[in-house]
Amino acid sequence: MSGNNNNNNRFEGKPHVDTILFIECGFGNDSHGQDATKAAVRACRNAIEFNSIPSITRLVPGGYDELKLDVLLAVP
């Protein structure tokens, strides 16, 4: 996807979240199957599973069950 392509541009329009609590990066791959979806899921899990947010229930009504992710993927 080139930088000049305006179709499906994630940076246009209002985001689906009101408040950004934290930003995290993750890495995922599927060396054997070369499945981009499997790699994307692994990257998301990698980004969130090693974080500790002890006050999440105070920050987000409903805690982890109501937490929303806004994911931006980069695929070579």
Side-chain angles (χ1 to χ4, degrees), residues 37-60:
T37 301
K38 186 182 276 188
V41 169
R42 288 178 177 169
C44 292
R45 288 182 146 223
N46 179 254
I48 62 175
E49 70 184 359
F50 295 109
N51 288 297
S52 175
I53 309 170
S55 60
I56 196 70
T57 55
R58 193 171 39 129
L59 296 170
V60 177

Side-chain angles (χ1 to χ4, degrees), residues 1 3-16 70 72:
M1 181 178 214
N4 295 331
N5 187 354
N6 290 329
N7 294 335
N8 298 322
N9 190 340
R10 181 205 152 318
F11 297 108
E12 291 181 3
K14 186 176 179 180
H16 73 274
D70 189 11
L72 178 63

